[in-house]
Amino acid sequence: MSENEEKIIKVNELNPNFKYEIQAQPGGENITRCFACGTCSAACPVREVNEKYNPRKIIRMALLGMKERVLSSDFIWLCSSCYTCYERCPQDVRITELMNAMKNIAVKEGYIHPSFVAQMEALNSHGRLYEMGEFDNKKRVKVGLPPIEETAEDTKKLFKQEGVDKLIEFKEGG
Amino acid sequence: MKYALFLGCTVPVRALNYEVSARKVAHKLNIEFVDINDFSCCGFPVKSVDRDTFLLMAAKNLSLAEEKGLDICSLCSACTSVLTEANKELKEDEDLRKGINKELSVLGRKYEGRIKVKHFARILYEDVGLDKIRENLRVDLSKFSFAAHYGCHYLKPSEIYEGFDDPENPKTLDELIELTGAKSIPYEDKKGCCGGGILGIDEMTALKVAKTKLDHVKSAGADAVCLICPFCSIMYEGSQKKMEREFEAEYNLPVLYYPQILGLALGIPQDELGFRMNRVKPREIIAQLS
């Protein structure tokens, strides 16, 4: 495929219902309010250093119905959750939560980012992102801090009930 | 004044200097911290994956503090933000609360919405108050200037924080710094994000975001960055050497947690404030105080 062909948006490949799917996901309700002013992209600290992440463009693609392109892309995962755009958006699109809504949909469609699989795995095993092992507790006690007993049971139960554990198995299975 | 101390994931493993200094400062100011061993991750990383599970994790943690009848004091800004968000949403939306409680029953727990969540810096500012802190000051820090780094989740999204401070023109951390006698120096892009949220996704992009701020702080001539979130510290201090290598820059810029600075001003001995655990040693600051 030539570079130009890749850039062409084919109307018959668009999914006009994608925006409604997003609106049904908590955080995505206000996506259709976007009038593409670009305040989000202008304020975005990630956009400033990496052109791949462009919130205005992502919202436009979602509104056009480019479902597969949006959900399978790396760029929805590049939001740093700083809420700068969220605070400044004149249309209250609630962009940070909108990105989370799209990430949640991407996960359901099988596009979870590998870094989040690793994080879910850690939470499932340790209840926290980092293991609280003997070594760590020794270090804590040495500087006068109380030791912490690792308790992962609650998180494991919740992950199992909500099906988050499946995301980890998926990765382990290849 | 008594709070359940919420440590989250990063503080108890990777920011012991923050935890040590916060506990010392709290003790000095008659704030009692209660440790709850069953606290786990706040739910922040799960928000990107599955919203309901995130709410459940937050609700579980909140219910543990409720059981003790204590408000939560959090040292991490991201934990503060998501616990506050979940607390607000579950308090206000009865249907959501019922649904979450139904699922939370698998742990034999129930969320009732009886407590508040506050960041430690906010507790110092609002609950203890600047005047009370001033009464306890012992050491004048006026020869130092610090670059206040607010980070993102301490004040944003603002709709969850009941009008505490102004995210576009914040002042609470500056005031907390200046009450020690030190100067809170102005610098470009003060409200900038540390990039920590995407460190695991795209390290180079995250480091570039962090670099932007270190450049500005360095050129403003601060003695150190002053911050209140463990992940911001991982970016500015923990990744500083790497940024120096990657971007051929030289920073050698100490990054201190606010309680370490306040601790000095309160006359707490330096060796009790965890400076030895700082990766970039604040040698000049310590030398000037000795």
Side-chain angles (χ1 to χ4, degrees):
Chain A
M1 211 190 308
S2 76
E3 202 184 313
N4 266 341
E5 261 178 276
E6 229 172 73
K7 280 182 186 162
I8 293 169
I9 299 167
K10 299 191 177 93
V11 178
N12 57 349
E13 288 171 10
L14 299 176
N15 181 342
N17 289 322
F18 185 40
K19 57 180 174 290
Y20 303 123
E21 266 179 66
I22 293 170
Q23 282 185 308
Q25 181 74 27
E29 298 88 347
N30 292 358
I31 185 170
T32 53
R33 290 191 188 182
C34 174
F35 55 29
C37 69
T39 301
C40 49
S41 293
C44 179
V46 179
R47 168 80 175 98
E48 202 181 318
V49 300
N50 184 347
E51 296 223 345
K52 222 162 89 181
Y53 184 72
N54 181 338
R56 169 167 63 176
K57 190 171 167 186
I58 295 168
I59 296 169
R60 201 55 20 202
M61 288 170 77
L63 286 171
L64 277 170
M66 300 169 77
K67 183 174 171 177
E68 291 308 308
R69 283 274 293 277
V70 170
L71 295 184
S72 64
S73 71
D74 269 352
F75 51 57
I76 49 173
W77 302 94
L78 278 172
C79 168
S80 74
S81 288
C82 77
Y83 286 93
T84 310
C85 57
Y86 189 104
E87 294 288 328
R88 295 183 188 170
C89 173
Q91 288 291 91
D92 194 23
V93 175
R94 306 182 71 228
I95 300 152
T96 315
E97 300 309 344
L98 169 61
M99 291 299 161
N100 280 323
M102 288 200 272
K103 283 182 254 180
N104 276 210
I105 297 172
V107 170
K108 280 186 206 134
E109 303 270 335
Y111 295 114
I112 186 168
H113 190 280
S115 134
F116 279 90
V117 176
Q119 290 182 56
M120 294 311 111
E121 213 170 2
L123 292 177
N124 196 55
S125 312
H126 309 298
R128 301 175 194 250
L129 287 176
Y130 307 108
E131 187 177 357
M132 182 58 74
E134 206 182 320
F135 171 77
D136 301 285
N137 268 322
K138 264 189 192 155
K139 225 166 87 181
R140 289 180 60 79
V141 172
K142 202 176 151 196
V143 296
L145 294 171
I148 295 171
E149 192 192 330
E150 194 172 281
T151 50
E153 252 349 273
D154 286 357
T155 310
K156 212 181 275 272
K157 273 187 200 159
L158 291 178
F159 276 20
K160 193 170 167 109
Q161 179 178 268
E162 303 303 306
V164 175
D165 60 335
K166 301 258 182 341
L167 302 167
I168 306 164
E169 285 163 22
F170 176 73
K171 181 215 160 196
E172 281 167 352
Chain B
M1 240 174 274
K2 199 168 164 182
Y3 301 89
L5 181 64
F6 190 86
L7 294 172
C9 301
T10 311
V11 170
V13 180
R14 299 181 71 176
L16 302 189
N17 48 352
Y18 188 16
E19 188 182 339
V20 164
S21 57
R23 286 182 192 265
K24 290 281 175 190
V25 163
H27 182 73
K28 194 87 179 173
L29 297 171
N30 285 322
I31 302 170
E32 189 186 336
F33 284 151
V34 175
D35 289 288
I36 298 180
N37 193 80
D38 285 348
F39 274 153
S40 47
C41 168
C42 64
F44 179 77
V46 188
K47 213 175 139 180
S48 296
V49 174
D50 183 68
R51 186 165 180 86
D52 279 349
T53 312
F54 141 63
L55 287 171
L56 281 166
M57 290 177 73
K60 175 216 134 171
N61 287 311
L62 292 164
S63 78
L64 284 163
E66 285 179 356
E67 201 172 73
K68 303 242 188 250
L70 294 172
D71 287 339
I72 284 178
C73 167
S74 164
L75 299 179
C76 169
S77 301
C79 297
T80 310
S81 170
V82 296
L83 290 176
T84 306
E85 176 193 339
N87 202 22
K88 180 177 156 70
E89 206 164 311
L90 292 168
K91 254 185 211 174
E92 290 174 359
D93 185 338
E94 201 188 331
D95 290 341
L96 182 69
R97 186 168 66 242
K98 279 185 182 157
I100 288 295
N101 270 332
K102 206 175 150 200
E103 300 192 33
L104 198 59
S105 62
V106 70
L107 305 181
R109 308 211 62 83
K110 192 177 175 211
Y111 165 89
E112 293 182 46
R114 286 187 280 121
I115 59 145
K116 273 188 157 184
V117 179
K118 281 190 179 187
H119 192 285
F120 185 48
R122 183 175 175 184
I123 287 172
L124 291 172
Y125 191 90
E126 267 187 351
D127 299 1
V128 180
L130 303 186
D131 289 338
K132 170 87 190 297
I133 299 173
R134 271 191 205 101
E135 284 168 20
N136 287 281
L137 296 176
R138 297 289 176 273
V139 178
D140 176 39
L141 301 184
S142 59
K143 54 185 121 172
F144 304 113
S145 57
F146 299 112
H149 170 68
Y150 283 83
C152 301
H153 301 118
Y154 171 58
L155 301 176
K156 292 181 286 182
S158 56
E159 66 192 21
I160 64 171
Y161 287 124
E162 314 155 307
F164 174 68
D165 212 344
D166 174 1
E168 293 290 1
N169 190 21
K171 63 180 177 56
T172 50
L173 184 57
D174 295 85
E175 288 181 33
L176 284 166
I177 290 171
E178 299 213 311
L179 73 77
T180 68
K183 189 171 181 224
S184 179
I185 57 162
Y187 65 96
E188 197 184 329
D189 192 28
K190 187 169 169 179
K191 291 165 289 177
C193 169
C194 72
I198 52 166
L199 184 65
I201 306 286
D202 182 340
E203 189 185 12
M204 219 8 126
T205 301
L207 292 179
K208 281 181 187 162
V209 173
K211 174 193 191 293
T212 310
K213 173 156 287 198
L214 282 189
D215 287 343
H216 292 146
V217 171
K218 192 75 188 167
S219 64
D223 292 303
V225 176
C226 167
L227 43 70
I228 50 171
C229 176
F231 226 85
C232 299
S233 174
I234 285 179
M235 295 307 296
Y236 295 129
E237 188 187 52
S239 306
Q240 200 178 112
K241 277 268 168 299
K242 185 152 199 178
M243 281 188 266
E244 288 179 334
R245 276 200 309 274
E246 292 287 346
F247 307 123
E248 291 175 16
E250 204 191 315
Y251 296 113
N252 193 24
L253 184 66
V255 177
L256 305 177
Y257 287 106
Y258 176 70
Q260 294 186 293
I261 293 170
L262 179 59
L264 289 174
L266 292 171
I268 298 170
Q270 289 155 21
D271 58 2
E272 291 179 21
L273 292 168
F275 290 110
R276 266 174 301 191
M277 288 177 271
N278 280 74
R279 301 269 289 269
V280 182
K281 304 291 174 214
R283 285 194 192 90
E284 284 180 33
I285 295 172
I286 299 296
Q288 284 188 62
L289 280 167
S290 310

